[in-house]
Amino acid sequence: MTEVRDYSNLIGGELRPAADGRTLDSVNPATGEVWATIPRSGAADAAAAVEAARAAFPKWSGMPAAGRAHYLRKVAEVFAKNAKELAELETIDNGRLITETAKRDLPGMTYLWTNAAAECAAAVEGRSVDFGPGSQGLTRREPYGVVLGIIPWNSPISTLSAKAAFALAAGNTVIIKPAEQATVSSLRVGELLREVLPPGVLNIVSGLGEEVADPMVRSRGVNKVSLTGSVGTAQIITRASAESLKPLALELGGKSPNIVFADADLDRAAPGVTTQAIFTANAGQICYGGSRILIQRPVYDEMIYRMKEIAAGVRLGDTLSPDTTMGPIVSAEQYERVTSYLEIGAKEGAELVFGGRFGAELVDEAHAGGYWVEPTLFATSDNSLRVCQEEIFGPVAVVLPFDTEEEAVALANDSVYGLAAGVWTRDLGTAQRMFRRLDTGTVWVNTYRKVMFPLEGTKDSGYGNDSVLAYTREKAGLFEF
Ligand code: NAD
């Protein structure tokens, strides 16, 4: 049993417990053990965070862009210096493999914060329009004020950074509300950044969404809310923010199609579809997971054979070991949800291609208390099934055959979601047509899950993104002399 450590909120440059002293337990999903406690903050903490962020806003937004860039470069250094510790904390906190957090996430954070520092200048660039002698139009980019970032549990440090870095670069002050299932790494980031950023510029407040985020969503002291989370939460936030007509950015879920054409290089497509897009990457708990696999009939059997082989080699267990290739489901609640889809798929008549087992039998004794589901694939030709339409958010995917490009487009777009899509083909014409015709925010061709631009969805996958311009608005002025 590991020692249980207590973590605190960061509000106005101070590390504070919840005002009423309440806490929540944080569970290591690989073992089921409580390993930390976090503040269960409420309305008083929400009010304190808003007040601190408001108080810090005039100085932070009034600073020259180069001044803000200087601070953000110092933040990048903190991430570089503490990468190992933060990667381990994130892995223990949410079950994301150390190979993901140490090799992909944390190095990415140094790049992201450095990039945000470089973007500070772009955030203050306006336009000039000449209306003739003595009449000139100008625009000026301004920060919103206080930005509230509400983040999910599946990749906390990356999501916190994407919101905070660009909102801060644009001159806003920020409050982050991490997800209650995986908060520790965010609170540790707060401890580290307290030494670097001026008080109140970045605040991190943990607890349940309805208890601490809701009052901030309603507060007139908060000027923009950016949520990465589920559609249900987005609907609640949209209603809660209506009173103050707050601008929102909603980065939500997906049921992304990953489409393999018969001419694809199967040596790339099979691992790309199987490991990167769904199963091993965060055990399928990624918003843009390509969990709806469409395969053109001539290569259908060959792809299934290859996917089966890859899934058979997946190793579950110690998330801190580089030999483990798939982690656990994040929480008991999410485990119930994911495993319920195994039953739903079977009841709906989908064929179980492989997988379907879950629980302690998949791992050694030390991990028997964790939340384990093996890579599972259902097959069907009916895209209306729940396993084809609903986001499962676990290592459970579905495969559908198709004959023509037309059919692939129709199947791919037959979804309430529109976050991302993958296309595997050797034909540039096919790739370009699919890029135009897929109703999703991102299309990856012969690759998947490489994020170059801010993610932005269509349909129920939401709207808005985390970029420096998205955290500014443009004020217009007309000058006549
Ligand atoms: P969730 O919607 O349950 O929770 C997200 C956050 O919202 C948490 O911090 C939670 O505490 C907060 N919240 C809950 N109720 C609230 C309320 N009433 N008011 C204010 N805040 C509230 O989502 P989750 O289960 O943590 O994450 C999984 C979801 O996130 C999936 O749907 C996934 O697709 C999505 N996601 C999207 C992206 C993206 O970039 N598009 C990235 C990662 C995850």
Side-chain angles (χ1 to χ4, degrees), residues 150-154 177 180 228-230 233 251-253 287 391:
I150 306 176
I151 65 172
W153 43 262
N154 59 344
K177 208 302 275 176
E180 50 275 27
T228 298
S230 61
T233 302
E251 296 179 42
L252 312 177
C287 53
E391 184 184 47

Side-chain angles (χ1 to χ4, degrees), residues 72-408:
L72 300 192
R73 277 193 297 273
K74 288 209 283 187
V75 174
E77 282 166 22
V78 168
F79 275 97
K81 209 167 133 204
N82 298 279
K84 186 170 179 296
E85 183 206 344
L86 289 171
E88 283 175 10
L89 282 181
E90 181 116 317
T91 288
I92 299 169
D93 208 15
N94 77 350
R96 197 168 162 84
L97 295 178
I98 194 73
T99 44
E100 287 275 314
T101 56
K103 295 213 177 110
R104 181 187 158 105
D105 298 352
L106 267 301
M109 291 314 99
T110 307
Y111 165 79
L112 185 149
W113 283 89
T114 309
N115 187 27
E119 296 264 307
C120 286
V124 293
E125 261 175 26
R127 294 182 287 162
S128 159
V129 185
D130 190 344
F131 284 107
S135 182
Q136 180 158 36
L138 285 179
T139 71
R140 172 172 198 274
R141 290 218 162 260
E142 294 188 339
Y144 281 94
V146 174
V147 167
L148 169 64
I150 306 176
I151 65 172
W153 43 262
N154 59 344
S155 199
I157 289 181
S158 305
T159 323
L160 173 155
S161 293
K163 294 195 189 307
F166 295 108
L168 291 175
N172 302 279
T173 52
V174 173
I175 307 168
I176 295 288
K177 208 302 275 176
E180 50 275 27
Q181 299 88 343
T183 293
V184 170
S185 56
S186 301
L187 294 180
R188 179 66 186 136
V189 166
E191 289 176 359
L192 294 168
L193 296 190
R194 174 175 174 247
E195 310 291 331
V196 172
L197 291 169
V201 164
L202 175 65
N203 307 274
I204 305 178
V205 191
S206 77
L208 303 179
E210 57 274 27
E211 292 179 358
V212 66
D214 181 74
M216 294 192 277
V217 170
R218 292 173 191 277
S219 167
R220 287 195 178 264
V222 171
N223 306 99
K224 177 166 182 171
V225 177
S226 175
L227 165 78
T228 298
S230 61
V231 173
T233 302
Q235 288 165 335
I236 293 171
I237 285 176
T238 304
R239 284 191 284 271
S241 63
E243 183 76 14
S244 56
L245 296 176
K246 222 171 249 92
L248 302 176
L250 303 173
E251 296 179 42
L252 312 177
K255 190 79 185 176
S256 298
N258 212 345
I259 308 163
V260 182
F261 283 92
D263 70 342
D265 176 353
L266 299 193
D267 289 344
R268 289 169 72 188
V273 164
T274 315
T275 61
Q276 275 300 313
I278 37 163
F279 298 140
T280 58
N282 224 14
Q285 300 164 104
I286 33 176
C287 53
Y288 44 85
S291 55
R292 211 157 44 100
I293 302 161
L294 311 181
I295 303 178
Q296 204 162 21
R297 255 182 236 279
V299 291
Y300 184 85
D301 290 343
E302 172 69 17
M303 272 293 292
I304 297 279
Y305 173 79
R306 289 180 183 227
M307 291 175 72
K308 224 182 215 171
E309 294 257 289
I310 294 167
V314 165
R315 283 187 299 278
L316 289 83
D318 183 2
T319 47
L320 290 167
S321 161
D323 298 330
T324 305
T325 51
M326 196 169 105
I329 303 298
V330 72
S331 65
E333 191 188 357
Q334 188 65 11
Y335 177 69
E336 287 295 313
R337 204 183 114 75
V338 172
T339 51
S340 77
Y341 276 97
L342 301 176
E343 212 171 298
I344 291 168
K347 269 201 192 129
E348 286 182 313
E351 175 203 344
L352 184 66
V353 181
F354 57 76
R357 292 182 307 155
F358 54 94
E361 65 169 303
L362 301 175
V363 284
D364 61 23
E365 212 179 311
H367 298 91
Y371 312 121
W372 303 100
V373 179
E374 70 178 342
T376 298
L377 185 67
F378 284 112
T380 179
S381 49
D382 181 356
N383 191 45
S384 71
L385 300 190
R386 284 181 66 189
V387 287
C388 297
Q389 291 294 329
E390 295 175 14
E391 184 184 47
I392 298 174
F393 224 57
V396 181
V398 63
V399 61
L400 297 106
F402 70 90
D403 288 303
T404 63
E405 189 179 306
E406 275 311 302
E407 200 186 342

